Amino acid sequence: LAGNGVLFCMVGCLYLARSMGWGNVYLLLLLVAILALNVAYTGFTGLVSDMIPADQMSVCSGIMGGCTAMGAVFGLICIGFLIPVEHAYFLYALTLATCTPLTWYAASETRHECGSSEINWRKVRSSYYISPSSHGDFFWVFISRMFYYMAVSVQIYILYYLRDVMTEQVVVDNAKSCTAILCIVSQGASGLVSLVAGTLADRTGRKPAIYTAVTVMALVYIGYCFVDTYSMVILLGVCYGAGNGIYISVDYALAVECLPSQESDGAKDLALWGVAAFLGTMFGPCVAGPLLAWLGHQPGSEHYAFVGYVGIMMCGVLYCIGCGS
């Protein structure tokens, strides 16, 4: 509730800063908004693990993944094709104002009394450490998730890939809209697959699902190196979405299953699990971006050479291998 409340206020402030052209103020407000979003996400993940029985966690994980993907599809369609960007702030605020009370009403939790109101800073520092020896399963779930988001981060270069590699001039001239369509199709496939993959993972196991997901994603990155038409890119995007859907359908359930202590520190550990996504999203482009600039540099041109895209796609393959390992 606190995270969404701050986020609601920040949306209005961000709209004002954008309207007034206050660039530096906008960045500061965006930082506060991201912090508030992470607070709300931490509460959300902890709340779900408290409310859902262990034998229903796979189904819940699949539904969570499907809802996440479908939410992304809805947002992409609205912002990309239906409403101007400035109206997206109002849509976001309306979504918060609608969904937060519904969550408050639907979620029932028991208040836990804290032994002391003072903050134990040593305990705060230690909460950011996962022991590979005593909590090895959760440690490797954390590492795997970080590599997964590093692999996903390669997708941010798809806009430039369409602009520089496609042979169809209409795609080159409309790379932004073509990228939006590709994201919608891919996320749609992800949402549909995740709704059923979570339940199927109960029969096959969650690790095989992870291996299948990263294998499909890696093959898609390899496939990008051999196509130059938009129709083939769309086909690969559907396959990537399917692989992504398999992963997100078991991601949460696997994390909950490997928690060091569900009863006492479940929310804290899930918050740490969420940090893996942030680290992966941050570290992934730190390698792929410079690699594209180095390998793909063409003097006197703002376009990148094809070899640069081969380099970042192979980088994505390595990230997928790291995720599955």
Side-chain angles (χ1 to χ4, degrees), residues 11-309:
V11 170
C13 294
L14 284 167
Y15 176 76
L16 178 62
R18 182 181 187 276
S19 301
M20 301 300 293
W22 298 337
N24 292 331
V25 175
Y26 189 95
L27 290 176
L28 180 61
L29 293 171
L30 183 61
L31 174 62
V32 176
I34 295 298
L35 291 174
L37 181 62
N38 279 296
V39 169
Y41 180 74
T42 300
F44 166 72
T45 53
L47 191 62
V48 171
S49 67
D50 289 342
M51 295 177 60
I52 304 300
D55 60 347
Q56 298 180 20
M57 196 57 68
S58 292
V59 177
C60 174
S61 184
I63 293 173
M64 285 174 61
C67 289
T68 300
M70 291 308 176
V73 170
F74 177 74
L76 286 165
I77 292 175
C78 288
I79 298 175
F81 301 98
L82 300 181
I83 63 174
V85 174
E86 55 268 19
H87 291 174
Y89 294 90
F90 297 100
L91 179 61
Y92 198 102
L94 178 63
T95 304
L96 284 174
T98 303
C99 295
T100 302
L102 290 175
T103 303
W104 178 272
Y105 173 77
S108 176
E109 59 177 340
T110 303
R111 179 182 176 87
H112 297 282
E113 296 295 333
C114 298
S116 172
S117 59
E118 296 182 2
I119 299 176
N120 187 331
W121 291 108
R122 179 176 296 180
K123 188 174 182 180
V124 171
R125 288 194 300 270
S126 66
S127 67
Y128 286 91
Y129 174 71
I130 307 173
S131 173
S133 57
S134 58
H135 304 305
D137 288 346
F138 189 68
F139 173 80
W140 288 113
V141 166
F142 179 92
I143 297 298
S144 175
R145 192 170 199 250
M146 183 181 71
F147 271 107
Y148 164 76
Y149 276 95
M150 290 174 70
V152 170
S153 70
V154 174
Q155 293 287 316
I156 65 176
Y157 301 103
I158 288 295
L159 170 63
Y160 304 110
Y161 171 81
L162 294 179
R163 182 196 67 181
D164 297 342
V165 176
M166 295 296 99
T167 56
E168 299 138 317
Q169 191 61 40
V170 64
V171 177
V172 175
D173 294 339
N174 299 278
K176 290 183 179 179
S177 59
C178 288
T179 301
I181 294 171
L182 175 62
C183 290
I184 291 169
V185 171
S186 181
Q187 288 288 351
S190 178
L192 293 175
V193 170
S194 65
L195 290 173
V196 297
T199 303
L200 292 176
D202 275 339
R203 304 175 185 175
T204 62
R206 296 190 180 106
K207 286 185 179 179
I210 296 291
Y211 298 149
T212 301
V214 297
T215 299
V216 171
M217 292 166 61
L219 289 175
V220 169
Y221 281 131
I222 294 173
Y224 280 140
C225 300
F226 294 95
V227 301
D228 57 6
T229 61
Y230 187 59
S231 59
M232 290 303 299
V233 170
I234 288 289
L235 179 60
L236 289 172
V238 172
C239 296
Y240 186 91
N244 182 64
I246 295 172
Y247 184 92
I248 63 177
S249 70
V250 299
D251 181 31
Y252 183 78
L254 187 62
V256 172
E257 188 177 85
C258 297
L259 285 176
S261 176
Q262 172 65 42
E263 291 77 15
S264 59
D265 291 320
K268 182 267 291 181
D269 293 327
L270 282 171
L272 192 58
W273 169 77
V275 172
F278 162 75
L279 293 177
T281 305
M282 180 179 68
F283 289 140
C286 289
V287 177
L291 187 64
L292 176 61
W294 175 52
L295 292 177
H297 176 66
Q298 299 184 105
S301 174
E302 63 177 9
H303 297 263
Y304 298 109
F306 177 70
V307 66
Y309 294 103

